[in-house]
Amino acid sequence: MIAWSAPSVPVLPGPADRAVVRLRDASGLLKESAEGPSATLYVCGITPYDSTHLGHAATYLAFDVLRRAWLDAGLQVQHASNVTDVDDPLLDRATATGVDWRDLAADQTARFFQDMTALQVLPPDTYLAVSETVPQVAEVVAALLAAGAAYQVPADDIAGPGDVYADLSLDPAFGSVFCSAAGLDDATMRALFAERGGDPDRPGKRHPLDPLLWRAERPGEPAWDAAALGRGRPGWHVECAVIAAAGLGPVVDVQGGGRDLVFPHHEMSTSHARLLGTTVRVQAHAGLVAYAGHKMSKSRGNLVFVRTLLADGADPAALRLALHAHHYRADWEWTDDQLVAAHQRLARWRAAVARPSAAPAEPLLATVRAALADDLDTPAALAAIDAWTQADGTDQTAPGLVRTLTDALMGIEL
Ligand code: ZN
């Protein structure tokens, strides 16, 4: 799949050996995000059945800042992502609205591209929809089956060998990264698994948490031929493991996503990745965004869409500022006055860089780089820029450097 077009990223001056971002990963430890000279990033993509809400945008902007910091540090960056264009929520929505699932996915993916383009998000280098990777996923699932790491469960409603599940008991590291760190007990894991697309009560499974790798064809559902498996479609978690390996090779420096993906999605996809020989070094998760008292969710209907705010006249740069005013790992609640404040901040910044001279900007650049290197501390970066705008000086190059700084590191054009 061809991603949206890339915004240009200006190059900032400075020392060649700049600090590489450290991220606090799911285990709670602060880790080097890349070991250089290259860096690989996998960010879980959208399920294209509804528009981009602010929770999605906050996640993609967080990892966009990581990419920009990596580029600024001189790293060779490879970024892969997926589009889950074959999955139950999308198929359910297509059925409910009488739309072909392919048309729904194409329409919502195009809308997502428009939102990401408006927000100056750098597109992934490898961008694959599930519908484009079925043969690769089927090959991996068949190999896991042949190796005894997966098993088939006959289904009551269809003939044939049935669905394929991963046998998690064969992965001793399962649960070691997230579940133990998060203190999730077995009952909580089962509840989350059921809530987030899993099927703990499916009869015939060896363990309730074993995840679906391949769903055999059901009437009315999309399906592809896969010799060893029979016709069907991929499960959710395995697609990310396969696409990450295809795009990034054996080492994924950072796997990112919203924190609601920690379990089961990242725990399961990391387990599959281990079986494929992929190492995920750092797991980083963005906090959850609430509105009107609750986490934004489709089921609750309290979504604030990027495209709605833009259509109502929001400046995309102000929207970025509103989201970067929160630390990416924090949970926070959107209120309309935050966008008003972000527009005011943007106006102050634009007035400051329109001055013929200002206070020197090199110290500001060093401060912003240090803030971003410290677990992507965008609120600290914004505060440092605020302080610069309030100082006077005679440096005629400073306004231009600050303009380049906000563009290069945060995708904000002043
Ligand atoms: Zn994923």
Side-chain angles (χ1 to χ4, degrees), residues 200-228:
D201 301 322
R202 167 76 187 268
K205 283 167 61 171
R206 293 177 187 168
H207 189 283
L209 293 180
D210 285 350
L212 179 73
L213 294 171
W214 185 260
R215 178 174 163 84
E217 181 176 22
R218 306 296 201 279
E221 293 187 9
W224 289 259
D225 287 324

Side-chain angles (χ1 to χ4, degrees), residues 183-208:
L184 298 184
D185 59 22
D186 200 53
T188 308
M189 283 194 275
R190 286 192 199 197
L192 284 174
F193 186 59
E195 186 185 309
R196 297 172 179 172
D199 53 359
D201 301 322
R202 167 76 187 268
K205 283 167 61 171
R206 293 177 187 168
H207 189 283

